Amino acid sequence: MSRPLSTSNEPNMRKELIRLRMEMHRQQLLYHSQPLSHPLRQIRNMMVARRESSERSSGKAPVVIATTVILALFGRRLGRIGKLARVALTLYPLIKGQQKLKQKLR
């Protein structure tokens, strides 16, 4: 028919399952606490990764992204300065590409 619900091996299996879950949670906590416990190392790693990715691709600088957001939100209210900033933001990739080309030719 049906076997009994509790066997002698079942409590041991449950204990082992609980131990494995506790270890998994401990590892997750360690992994997620690394940026908090070593913020300077995390920032340094982010800067190195950004530098490497910018060498491979045409990644935009954080300043350009922030400027784009500000101009999208407040561009009309800034008047003439907003227009000049939009022109500068449009020309930035061209100037940056020209600088990279000069560096490659050297």
Side-chain angles (χ1 to χ4, degrees):
M1 289 199 185
S2 65
R3 64 178 231 234
L5 290 177
S6 62
T7 63
S8 63
N9 206 13
E10 199 169 294
N12 290 335
M13 288 176 61
R14 287 184 185 198
K15 285 181 184 177
E16 185 63 26
L17 180 62
I18 290 171
R19 274 192 220 108
L20 289 172
R21 284 183 181 162
M22 294 295 285
E23 178 63 22
M24 182 184 69
H25 289 299
R26 187 182 75 80
Q27 292 292 331
Q28 284 179 339
L29 283 172
L30 283 173
Y31 175 77
H32 292 297
S33 68
Q34 285 298 320
L36 299 173
S37 61
H38 305 288
L40 294 178
R41 185 184 313 156
Q42 182 73 12
I43 291 170
R44 187 177 336 119
N45 290 342
M46 285 174 37
M47 295 301 286
V48 168
R50 189 177 74 78
R51 215 176 291 133
E52 288 173 356
S53 70
S54 69
E55 290 173 359
R56 283 182 271 154
S57 67
S58 63
K60 300 215 183 308
V63 174
V64 174
I65 295 171
T67 306
T68 305
V69 170
I70 290 171
L71 285 175
L73 295 174
F74 306 110
R76 300 278 184 208
R77 296 181 199 161
L78 295 175
R80 187 176 180 130
I81 295 173
K83 285 182 183 179
L84 290 173
R86 274 187 241 125
V87 169
L89 191 62
T90 305
L91 294 177
Y92 177 79
L94 296 173
I95 295 169
K96 192 72 171 171
Q98 188 179 19
Q99 288 175 347
K100 283 185 180 180
L101 184 63
K102 284 182 181 178
Q103 287 178 352
K104 284 182 180 180
L105 292 176
R106 286 183 186 178

